[in-house]
């Protein structure tokens, strides 16, 4: 992980630099030292004396006890001499100072960052008799450099090792941001990074001047600007979740008043904790999960990530959130490695190289235990097991290395053994300092988690370690709690928990003071921008390659699509004849034109009617991260256009070989192609508004039958019918364009009553324009349908 010292230790700017170590006069024989946790901001103080050594650890038995992850009972020792305090590890304990490993006694300075295991503390000295001597004194300001691009005036930050301060994380762009130091202060500039640079929770567009106290986030890595330095608050990107008085109310039509799905929920989840949410049916488990991850905003209360309001600064944490829904979020027809590669291309910064992506994929597959399945298609020829499929969905989320992971009933339907392996996997992920929150119904392996949240009718009735839950409720098995909860009103159990020691220990003691409330704004004003561009060509290219991979991988379905046109063409050739007198030939050519147009419309609509809805869970997940609607639709329309063109060419070519149809082949291909493409966008519009494949298939006939009735071929339409047909029917204008390609002799033929056998309503070019307009309208409708599926925080 990224070392603080090699990240943003001290910015050399036209401000007083720190004195050399030998010039900092910390000479007193006794010192008061303060350890300030970078995550909880809790302060622990101790008096240091030069006459003895002091032990740092979690249970020192008389030394300096500190709370945090991976701190050993006896972790490090402090000693004081004439030059000040120094620190060294005990045995093989992991100790780092300002990001650099400590293996021998190393001097501490005021403001240094000391890492014990995975826990980070800032050091502050408070002198007893002579406080001024414990304060860092600064020299006079240095003169400004003549050139603004001087190496001491610009500091680059990014993933590249060539940056002045490198952050080794896939969430960080190769060159993410830079600090420009001038005579009046420090300016920070975002370099068009993918996951953004944030000041006080607001995404930065361009440049902004920093002021002391500003909180700066590079992707999810947090710092505080002191006026002379950016001090790390979180160099691991970890996420602490604090929930205060969370409520969610929805209208209840039967009762005529709001129904509370969540009622005054307060919780704290620390980094590295694996938490399970369970409860009675309808207790609000998924509602709570979605309120915590930003998918469904609450109607009251706060959700704080690292002390920042999630909903006020959602873009700041968007890339740090991983979410695995109950439905699979992976395409089943492509290889596991390719599925992860496409996801990495979509979610990681565009400057991530293929070798970096491959390294991420290998790491993730090894973590989820699927390294041997990398080259295997997900469901062919031998389908993956249910547990393996869930692990693939999990791997898709882990590719971007999220810092907080939400799992919505991902173990549902799995056998007990697989459930146990999955729960152990989640615990291992939490051990990597990820915050893991899981909703489950299965309680057999719940002991694998650190804490459990028990909900009943929207109220919190227990939060604490799972082994203590049965004792708390006075039951033998935790599974008996469901029946017990139904024996009393929900308020009874909620009040009982509020009065318990578990509430004091695991809720109230972990909540931060009101004075340390959220930071959603600060002294610096920044201009915000959306993290999504209207159209991302790179994203569209990745999506298109994935879609083509899916089409080619499903060979059976592709064969059916390609055989439709030849079969229908042969059928037309067998049924129709263009021989005989002119009236008979004209009638036959008009009917053939009608069948060709309907076939093209049929091809287009059936090709696309299920293409969006069949991957709806995947779309919703990718959309919540960074997926744009325009690139997504483009990735569907272009391959479907190629398929439609191939079908139309085969259809018309075979019919032209079997039957004599005088006229321009190219004009007819264009007419059929535009009809098929307009129908394709109509199918996409259907697919965007339904929520299941069955509904999409059921809707197709409702769209296709009017194309037959209102085409002006089956019956001559009256004024009202013509008005509707001209405004809504692809078949009306497409058939008119096709008839316009027939010979002049055919168009002039009349029946026994003197009426034209093949009447025209407009001109060829005008007809094609109208077809294109209808196709564009349906494409806009599809965009609106996708937009309506957004769940905005």
């Amino acid at each position: 992980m990224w070392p603080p010292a090699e990240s943003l230790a001290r910015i050399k700017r036209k401000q007083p630099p720190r004195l050399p170590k030998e010039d900092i006069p910390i000479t007193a024989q006794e010192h008061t030292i303060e350890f300030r946790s970078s995550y909880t901001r809790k302060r622990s103080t101790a008096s240091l004396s030069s006459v003895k050594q002091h032990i740092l650890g979690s249970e020192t038995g008389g030394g300096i006890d500190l709370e945090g992850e991976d701190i050993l009972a006896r972790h490090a020792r402090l000693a004081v001499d004439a030059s000040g305090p120094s620190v060294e590890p005990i045995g093989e304990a992991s100790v780092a100072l300002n990001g650099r490993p400590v293996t021998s006694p190393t001097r501490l300075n005021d403001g240094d960052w000391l890492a014990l295991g995975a826990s980070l503390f800032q050091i502050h000295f408070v002198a007893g008799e002579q406080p001024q001597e414990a304060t860092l004194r600064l020299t006079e300001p240095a003169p400004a450099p003549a050139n603004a691009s001087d190496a001491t005036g610009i500091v680059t930050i990014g993933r590249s090792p060539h940056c002045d301060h490198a952050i080794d994380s896939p969430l960080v762009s190769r060159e993410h941001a830079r600090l420009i130091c001038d005579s009046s202060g420090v300016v920070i500039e975002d370099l068009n990074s993918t996951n953004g640079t944030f000041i006080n929770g607001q995404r930065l567009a361009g440049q902004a001047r920093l002021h002391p106290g500003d909180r700066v986030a590079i992707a999810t890595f947090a710092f505080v600007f002191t006026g002379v330095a950016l001090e790390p608050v979180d160099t691991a990107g970890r996420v602490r979740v604090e929930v205060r008085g969370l409520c969610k109310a929805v209208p209840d039509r039967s009762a005529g008043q709001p129904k509370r799905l969540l009622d005054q929920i307060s919780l704290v989840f620390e980094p590295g904790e694996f938490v399970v949410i369970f409860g009675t049916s309808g207790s609000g488990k998924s509602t709570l999960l979605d309120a915590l991850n930003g998918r469904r905003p609450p109607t009251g209360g706060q959700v704080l990530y690292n002390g920042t309001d999630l909903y006020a600064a959602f873009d700041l944490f968007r890339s740090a959130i991983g979410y695995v829904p109950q439905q699979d979020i992976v395409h089943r027809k492509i290889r596991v490695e390719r599925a992860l590669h496409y996801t990495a291309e979509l979610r990681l910064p565009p400057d991530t190289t293929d070798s970096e992506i491959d390294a991420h994929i290998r790491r993730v597959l090894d973590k989820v235990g699927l390294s041997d399945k990398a080259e295997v298609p997900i469901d062919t020829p031998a389908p993956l097991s249910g547990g393996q499929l869930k692990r693939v969905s999990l791997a898709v989320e882990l590719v971007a290395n999220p810092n907080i992971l939400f799992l919505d009933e991902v173990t549902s339907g799995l056998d007990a053994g697989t459930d146990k392996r999955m729960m152990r996997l989640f615990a291992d992920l939490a051990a990597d300092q990820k915050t893991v929150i899981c909703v489950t119904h299965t309680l057999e392996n719940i002991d694998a988690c650190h804490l459990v949240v028990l909900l009943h009718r929207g109220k919190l009735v227990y939060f604490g370690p799972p082994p203590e839950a049965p004792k708390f409720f006075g039951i033998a098995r935790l599974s008996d709690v469901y029946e017990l909860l139904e024996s009393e009103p929900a308020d009874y159990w909620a009040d009982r928990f509020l009065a318990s020691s578990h509430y004091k220990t695991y809720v109230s003691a972990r909540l931060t003071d009101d004075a340390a409330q959220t930071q959603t704004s600060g002294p610096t004003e920044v201009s915000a921008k959306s993290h999504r561009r209207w159209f991302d060509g790179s994203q569209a290219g990745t999506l298109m390659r994935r879609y083509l991979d899916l089409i080619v991988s499903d060979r059976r379905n592709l064969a059916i699509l390609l055989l439709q046109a030849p079969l229908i063409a042969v059928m037309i050739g067998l049924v129709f004849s263009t021989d005989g007198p002119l009236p008979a030939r004209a009638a036959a050519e008009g009917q053939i034109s009608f069948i060709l147009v309907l076939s093209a419309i049929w091809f287009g609509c059936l090709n696309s009617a299920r293409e969006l809805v069949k991957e709806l869970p995947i779309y919703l997940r990718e959309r919540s991260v960074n997926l744009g609607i325009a690139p997504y639709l483009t990735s569907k329309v272009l391959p479907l256009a190629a398929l439609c063109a191939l079908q139309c060419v085969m259809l018309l070519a075979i019919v032209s070989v079997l039957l004599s149809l005088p006229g321009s082949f190219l004009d007819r291909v264009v007419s059929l192609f535009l009809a098929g493409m307009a129908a394709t966008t109509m199918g996409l519009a259907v697919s965007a508004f339904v929520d299941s494949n069955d509904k999409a298939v059921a809707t197709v006939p409702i769209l296709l039958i009017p194309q037959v009735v209102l085409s002006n071929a089956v019956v001559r339409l009256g004024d009202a019918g013509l008005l509707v047909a001209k405004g809504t029917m692809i078949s009306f204008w497409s058939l008119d364009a096709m008839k316009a390609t027939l010979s002049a002799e055919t168009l002039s033929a009349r029946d026994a009553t003197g009426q034209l056998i093949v009447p025209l309503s407009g001109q060829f070019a005008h007809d094609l324009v109208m077809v294109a307009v209808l196709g564009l309208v349906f494409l806009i409708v599809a965009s609106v349908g996708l937009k309506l599926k957004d769940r905005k925080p």
Side-chain angles (χ1 to χ4, degrees):
M1 194 51 69
W2 174 48
E6 295 182 6
S7 55
L8 300 171
R10 294 282 164 191
I11 303 172
K12 294 182 180 178
R13 47 161 293 192
K14 288 37 112 191
Q15 272 260 348
R18 179 189 289 237
L19 281 174
K21 291 181 180 179
E22 60 269 20
D23 294 335
I24 300 177
I26 305 177
T27 58
Q29 298 300 304
E30 293 187 2
H31 300 279
T32 299
I33 188 171
E34 180 181 86
F35 298 87
R36 187 176 300 174
S37 171
S38 66
Y39 302 107
T40 64
R41 307 310 293 171
K42 290 182 178 179
R43 305 180 183 188
S44 301
T45 58
S47 296
L48 303 183
S49 173
S50 59
V51 299
K52 68 175 183 178
Q53 290 186 335
H54 304 268
I55 303 300
L56 290 175
S58 59
E59 297 178 7
T60 60
I64 304 172
D65 291 343
L66 298 174
E67 296 180 2
E69 293 292 333
D70 297 335
I71 298 180
L72 304 178
R74 295 170 60 84
H75 201 109
R77 61 174 59 92
L78 287 176
V80 180
D81 56 25
S83 62
S86 61
V87 64
E88 66 174 322
I90 297 176
E92 300 296 323
S94 174
V95 178
L97 188 65
N98 296 324
R100 293 184 177 135
V102 173
T103 57
S104 59
T106 303
R107 182 178 163 186
L108 293 175
N109 292 297
D110 186 64
D112 282 346
W113 288 89
L114 178 67
L116 304 179
S119 298
L120 194 62
F121 300 89
Q122 189 172 29
I123 303 297
H124 289 283
F125 294 130
V126 181
E129 298 178 355
Q130 294 179 306
Q132 69 280 6
E133 293 192 351
T135 301
L136 178 64
R137 296 189 307 183
L138 303 174
T139 64
E140 293 299 317
N147 190 342
S149 63
D150 189 280
T152 62
I154 294 180
V155 178
T156 57
I157 308 166
R159 191 180 73 254
S160 171
H162 300 293
C163 290
D164 296 315
H165 300 293
I167 305 177
D168 185 16
S169 169
L171 299 178
V172 178
S173 297
R174 187 168 295 277
E175 291 189 356
H176 196 104
R178 66 183 170 194
L179 298 163
I180 305 170
C181 312
D182 56 32
S183 58
S184 58
V186 176
V187 172
I188 187 168
E189 179 183 7
D190 183 75
L191 301 177
N192 294 318
S193 62
T194 299
N195 292 316
T197 301
F198 297 81
I199 301 178
N200 302 317
Q202 298 300 311
R203 185 160 183 158
L204 173 66
Q207 295 183 345
R209 187 167 296 279
L210 293 177
H211 299 87
D214 281 341
R215 292 175 64 91
V216 177
I218 305 296
T220 58
F221 299 85
F223 308 88
V224 174
F225 183 60
T226 64
V228 295
L230 280 180
E231 299 288 6
V233 174
D234 180 11
T235 60
R238 298 185 288 185
V239 177
R240 180 180 189 270
V241 181
E242 185 170 339
V243 182
R244 289 176 171 271
L246 200 67
C247 297
K248 179 71 173 181
V250 296
D252 188 349
R253 296 179 180 177
S254 60
Q257 57 185 2
K259 178 182 179 181
R260 284 185 173 264
L261 302 181
L262 298 175
D263 191 0
Q264 294 296 322
I265 305 291
S266 293
L267 297 164
V268 176
F269 306 139
E270 298 287 352
E273 288 184 341
F274 173 27
V275 181
V276 164
I277 301 173
F278 73 108
T280 54
S281 179
S283 60
K285 301 182 293 296
S286 294
T287 304
L288 175 59
L289 192 76
D290 286 349
L292 295 177
N293 61 34
R295 288 168 59 84
R296 284 190 282 179
T299 53
Q302 285 183 307
V303 179
L304 311 179
Y305 279 20
N306 295 337
T308 299
D309 190 289
L310 171 65
Y311 290 94
F314 186 74
D315 272 359
L316 171 58
F317 300 103
R318 185 188 296 271
S319 59
I321 297 173
Y323 174 70
V324 183
Q326 189 172 357
Q327 307 97 325
D328 298 322
I329 52 173
V330 62
H331 296 93
R332 296 193 175 198
K333 293 297 181 182
I334 53 181
R335 292 181 289 116
V336 171
E337 184 272 336
R338 292 303 301 162
L340 298 186
H341 201 281
Y342 290 130
T343 300
E345 288 186 45
L346 290 173
R347 298 193 189 179
L348 298 181
D351 55 18
T352 307
T353 64
D354 286 341
S355 60
E356 288 177 308
I357 291 176
D358 291 339
H360 291 316
I361 291 174
R362 288 193 298 271
R363 169 182 57 80
V364 168
L365 289 177
D366 181 64
K367 188 67 179 178
V368 301
L370 291 176
S371 297
D372 58 330
K373 302 293 184 181
E375 299 300 322
V376 177
I378 293 174
D379 68 351
T380 56
L384 298 179
S385 66
Q388 290 172 331
L389 188 57
K390 293 296 183 184
R391 279 186 277 162
V392 173
S393 292
L394 180 61
V396 165
E397 288 299 302
L398 294 179
V399 163
N401 195 28
N403 306 112
I404 181 168
L405 189 62
F406 294 92
L407 310 165
D408 192 2
E409 299 188 29
V410 294
T411 61
S412 295
L414 301 181
D415 61 81
T418 304
D419 178 86
K420 185 175 184 178
R421 287 190 292 272
M422 292 294 289
M423 294 292 278
R424 286 179 176 173
L425 173 59
F426 302 153
D428 289 342
L429 294 175
D432 289 341
Q433 294 305 296
K434 299 185 188 299
T435 308
V436 182
I437 303 172
C438 174
V439 170
T440 187
H441 287 293
T442 307
L443 302 181
E444 289 184 50
N445 303 296
I446 205 168
D447 286 344
C449 71
H450 300 110
L451 299 167
V452 293
V453 176
L454 178 55
L455 299 178
H456 179 50
R457 297 178 184 174
K459 294 182 179 293
L460 179 64
V461 297
Y462 179 79
F463 179 50
E468 298 178 19
K471 182 179 178 181
F472 176 82
F473 288 101
I475 53 180
R477 298 176 304 174
L478 187 55
S479 57
D480 295 334
V481 75
Y482 294 124
E483 184 177 358
L484 177 66
L485 291 176
E486 297 295 347
S487 65
E488 298 286 351
D491 288 336
Y492 167 81
W493 297 111
D495 292 341
R496 184 172 180 265
F497 175 66
L498 284 173
S500 68
S501 60
H502 283 79
Y503 178 82
K504 295 180 177 63
T505 301
Y506 298 104
V507 179
S508 60
R510 287 156 56 111
L511 289 170
T512 56
D513 297 334
D514 290 341
Q517 282 280 354
T518 74
Q519 279 195 315
T520 58
S521 62
T524 295
E525 295 294 329
V526 299
S527 57
K529 66 176 181 178
S530 172
H531 75 289
R532 295 189 183 107
R533 288 181 285 175
W534 178 81
F535 185 82
D536 187 330
S538 174
Q539 194 176 83
T542 299
L543 291 167
M544 195 179 307
R545 285 188 286 108
R546 183 176 71 179
Y547 186 40
L548 289 172
D549 197 347
L550 287 168
I551 292 175
V552 174
S553 299
D554 194 350
R555 297 179 181 178
R556 181 177 300 177
N557 185 63
L558 181 61
I560 293 173
L561 293 176
L562 294 179
L563 286 175
Q564 287 180 11
L567 290 175
I568 292 176
V570 169
M571 191 177 302
I572 293 173
L574 292 175
V575 171
F576 290 94
S577 173
T578 54
D579 297 330
L582 179 59
R585 293 203 312 272
E589 290 179 13
Q591 291 170 343
I592 292 170
S593 298
F594 174 58
I595 297 299
L596 290 174
V597 167
L598 283 184
S599 298
I601 293 174
W602 179 277
F603 295 155
C605 193
L606 287 186
N607 289 347
S608 62
R610 295 181 296 171
E611 291 308 298
L612 304 184
V613 69
K614 73 180 183 182
E615 58 181 27
L616 183 58
I618 300 172
Y619 167 80
L620 291 175
R621 178 62 195 125
E622 292 178 345
R623 175 68 178 159
S624 68
V625 180
N626 63 353
L627 180 62
I629 291 176
Y632 182 67
L633 283 178
T634 300
S635 72
K636 298 294 184 183
V637 169
L638 293 184
L640 289 173
L643 176 61
C644 180
L646 182 59
Q647 290 174 318
C648 291
V649 168
M650 288 192 297
L651 175 68
L652 186 60
I654 295 173
V655 169
S656 299
V657 169
L658 297 177
L659 300 171
S660 175
L661 289 174
S664 172
F665 181 85
L666 180 60
D667 287 349
R668 288 175 183 153
V669 167
V670 171
S671 300
L672 292 179
F673 172 70
L674 284 180
M677 281 308 301
T680 296
T681 59
M682 181 173 67
L684 290 174
V686 170
S687 195
F689 274 91
V690 297
D691 56 10
S692 69
N693 281 331
D694 292 340
K695 291 179 181 178
V697 172
T699 306
V700 168
I702 300 175
L703 297 176
L704 292 180
I705 291 174
Q707 299 292 335
V708 177
V709 176
L710 296 176
S711 63
N712 207 27
V714 177
V715 293
R716 297 292 174 90
L717 299 175
D719 293 340
L722 280 173
L723 184 63
V724 174
K726 289 181 178 181
T728 60
M729 292 297 113
I730 301 169
S731 60
F732 179 87
W733 297 107
S734 300
L735 177 57
D736 202 62
M738 277 295 290
K739 290 189 293 186
T741 65
L742 300 176
S743 64
E745 182 182 29
T746 298
L747 294 176
S748 63
R750 296 179 180 272
D751 60 16
T753 64
Q755 293 184 333
L756 291 172
I757 297 175
V758 185
L760 293 178
S761 297
Q763 296 180 341
F764 179 73
H766 177 263
D767 293 339
L768 295 185
V769 169
M770 292 305 299
V771 175
V773 168
L774 287 174
L776 182 60
V777 169
F778 284 123
L779 188 61
I780 294 173
V781 171
S783 301
V784 172
L786 290 174
K787 185 67 177 175
L788 291 175
K789 294 185 184 297
D790 285 353
R791 292 179 176 179
K792 291 190 175 182

